């Protein structure tokens, strides 16, 4: 099942929807008690089978996917856990070695933005780059979870584009100071369009990743090439740190990062999960 959060108008309420067919959405508002607009909470409260029954039994009007406004696919998120240098070829293009342990940094939830929303670079940067990634959506409160039980933490998956102000990041690295700000500006974590439930993705370590800019492919690889796979990542992240429902784990980008210019449209695709589109806008200095 593919669950999303949409508005019908810019000021309208957020609704929980399910994609029933290509381009066709079913609003879950009114289909069951207390469904709300949070896909993670709906899955936890009602279960995947019950939600599927409600969608299959819907015989009313549907929504056109192209006519709605997408919000990020999680309603609540306390943190976006991001992995650096988790693909060897990306480490090599960055002139860095693959780390012996997972390297973690965070983006704030305020960086989240939905499908088809613009990514707005602040005036302080003139060098913005894309980074397509598979994101894991945490489904329950998780701490100290052994690697072999990693699936217990997962509500589903989505696409995330780890936007980076590369000039600011490199300047801070050169000064040996933290570079979190270069990753954490508003709109620098576009995600979506949907949360793909676990039944849609039997093997998250066998998914093609691609990113196109105005139709030109810049990034392409497979999640099987991760240095640290999902069992290790979830066990490592939950070791002493509580992962909350709606938290995202961005599992690292692949080779092919490159600068963007004003007006570029990015299409980040993860096989079986979907395509996330966003257009870049630079503010004047």
């Amino acid at each position: 099942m593919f669950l999303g959060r949409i508005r019908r108008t810019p000021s309208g309420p957020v609704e929980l929807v399910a994609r029933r067919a290509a381009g066709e959405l079913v609003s879950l508002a009114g289909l069951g008690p207390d469904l709300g607009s949070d896909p993670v909470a709906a899955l936890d409260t009602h279960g995947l089978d019950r939600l599927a029954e409600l969608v299959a039994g819907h015989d009313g009007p549907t929504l056109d996917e192209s006519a709605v406004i997408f919000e990020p696919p999680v309603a609540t998120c306390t943190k976006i856990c991001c992995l650096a240098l988790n693909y060897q070829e990306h480490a090599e293009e960055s002139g860095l070695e693959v780390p012996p342990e997972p390297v973690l940094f965070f983006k704030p939830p305020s960086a989240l933005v939905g499908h088809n929303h613009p990514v707005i670079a602040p005036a302080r940067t003139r060098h913005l780059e894309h980074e397509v990634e598979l994101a894991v959506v945490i489904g329950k409160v998780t701490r100290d979870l052994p690697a072999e039980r990693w699936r217990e933490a997962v509500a589903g998956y989505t696409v995330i584009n780890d936007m980076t102000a590369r000039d600011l990041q490199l300047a801070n690295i050169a000064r040996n100071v933290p570079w979190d700000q270069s990753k954490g500006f508003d709109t620098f974590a576009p995600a979506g369009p949907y949360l793909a439930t676990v039944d849609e993705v039997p093997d998250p370590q066998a998914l093609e990743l691609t990113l196109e800019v105005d139709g030109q492919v810049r990034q392409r690889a497979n999640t099987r090439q991760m240095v640290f796979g999902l069992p290790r990542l979830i066990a490592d992240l939950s070791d002493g740190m509580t992962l909350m429902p709606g938290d995202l784990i961005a599992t690292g980008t692949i080779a092919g990062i490159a600068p963007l210019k004003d007006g570029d449209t990015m299409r980040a695709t993860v096989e079986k999960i979907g395509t996330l589109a966003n257009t870049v806008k630079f503010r004047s200095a």
Side-chain angles (χ1 to χ4, degrees), residues 4-23:
R5 301 174 61 247
I6 63 97
R7 298 179 192 267
R8 303 191 192 203
T9 65
S11 59
V14 177
E15 298 179 44
L16 178 63
V17 297
R19 193 182 71 189
R20 190 165 67 178

Side-chain angles (χ1 to χ4, degrees), residues 16-281:
L16 178 63
V17 297
R19 193 182 71 189
R20 190 165 67 178
E24 183 182 273
L25 304 178
V26 172
S27 175
L28 276 65
L31 293 188
D34 303 323
L35 283 175
S37 61
D38 183 342
V40 175
L43 285 167
D44 182 59
T45 302
H46 301 281
L48 178 58
D49 291 344
R50 178 55 181 156
L51 292 183
E53 288 176 3
L54 291 171
V55 172
H58 175 75
D59 59 1
T62 59
L63 299 172
D64 183 346
E65 184 181 50
S66 66
V68 301
I69 300 166
F70 281 90
E71 296 295 323
V74 291
T76 59
C77 177
T78 69
K79 52 192 169 292
I80 306 169
C81 305
C82 304
L83 277 299
L85 306 176
N86 200 28
Y87 287 83
Q88 181 171 341
E89 290 186 356
H90 172 56
E92 290 172 351
E93 74 176 348
S94 302
L96 299 168
E97 295 183 359
V98 173
E101 303 284 339
V103 175
L104 172 68
F105 64 93
F106 295 96
K107 285 179 181 262
S110 55
L112 283 169
V113 71
H115 172 62
N116 284 334
H117 289 258
V119 169
I120 302 173
R124 69 179 68 193
T125 180
R126 309 314 298 169
H127 186 160
L128 193 63
E129 293 190 356
H130 52 74
E131 299 188 11
V132 60
E133 305 189 16
L134 167 69
V136 177
V137 182
I138 297 299
K140 70 173 189 177
V141 176
T142 300
R143 181 173 172 180
D144 300 327
L145 188 68
E148 64 272 15
R149 293 171 51 195
W150 68 274
R151 291 183 184 273
E152 296 177 19
V154 180
Y157 306 91
T158 193
V159 186
I160 195 165
N161 191 346
D162 173 16
M163 302 302 302
T164 306
R166 194 71 69 196
D167 49 354
L168 303 184
Q169 182 191 38
L170 294 176
N172 284 335
I173 290 173
R175 294 170 52 214
N176 197 31
V177 298
W179 40 262
D180 301 65
Q181 186 182 47
S182 68
K183 297 274 193 175
F185 294 111
D186 290 356
T187 75
F188 270 38
Y194 300 103
L195 182 161
T197 52
V198 293
D199 59 307
E200 300 286 351
V201 190
D203 185 1
Q205 301 287 178
L207 303 174
E208 289 291 317
L209 303 168
T210 60
L211 187 135
E212 299 179 2
V213 176
D214 292 338
Q216 177 186 20
V217 176
R218 290 193 177 181
Q219 293 183 277
R220 174 173 285 151
N222 194 287
T223 56
R224 71 171 61 94
Q225 297 168 263
M226 283 184 193
V227 177
F228 304 106
L230 301 192
R232 170 67 185 278
L233 293 179
I234 292 175
D236 187 81
L237 290 172
S238 70
D239 181 7
M241 180 175 71
T242 302
L243 303 176
M244 299 297 293
D247 284 356
L248 299 177
I249 301 174
T251 56
T253 199
I254 58 181
I257 57 173
L260 295 154
K261 64 181 186 300
D262 188 65
D264 279 348
T265 295
M266 305 169 290
R267 292 178 61 83
T269 300
V270 180
E271 182 186 6
K272 298 183 181 296
I273 296 173
T275 296
L276 169 70
N278 303 91
T279 298
V280 174
K281 292 185 178 181

